[in-house]
Amino acid sequence: MKTCIACGMPMKDPAEFACGDTNKDYCVHCARPDGSMQSFEEKRTGLTAFIVKTQGFDETVALEAAESMMKKLPAWMAYF
Ligand SMILES: [Zn+2]
C-alpha cells in the first residue's frame, strides 16, 4: 500500500490517487485540478485552513500544527 508523500494519507483505491493514477505518489486531495501536485505554499495554506475548520484552532496555532505535520512528510522535508 502506498502513502501520499504530501499528506500521509494511505491510498488503496485508485479513486484516492491523483487522477485515479496508482503510479502517482500523492493523493487526490494533494492534486490540483490539472493533476499536478500542489506546491508547498498551497498545501500549507490548505492544511492550515483545514485545521482551523476541523479543530477550531486560531490561525497561528493551526499554521504551526500544519508545519509540524508537513515536516514529517517526504514531499516537504526539504522545505524545513
Ligand atoms: Zn495527499
Side-chain angles (χ1 to χ4, degrees):
M1 188 179 66
K2 276 185 159 181
T3 305
C4 173
I5 59 165
C7 75
M9 184 181 97
M11 305 184 291
K12 294 184 292 259
D13 199 79
E16 291 168 336
F17 288 79
C19 303
D21 179 355
T22 56
N23 291 316
K24 292 254 195 292
D25 294 322
Y26 50 94
C27 74
V28 65
H29 307 294
C30 297
R32 295 175 177 145
D34 72 357
S36 61
M37 197 178 83
Q38 291 179 1
S39 70
F40 176 77
E41 288 296 335
E42 283 172 324
K43 194 66 206 167
R44 186 170 62 175
T45 304
L47 199 53
T48 302
F50 178 79
I51 293 168
V52 168
K53 208 172 95 188
T54 57
Q55 316 277 324
F57 291 169
D58 71 43
E59 196 117 343
T60 319
V61 179
L63 180 65
E64 277 172 26
E67 289 191 340
S68 75
M69 280 170 72
M70 291 174 80
K71 266 179 200 167
K72 301 186 182 102
L73 295 160
W76 317 119
M77 275 172 183
Y79 289 84
F80 290 95

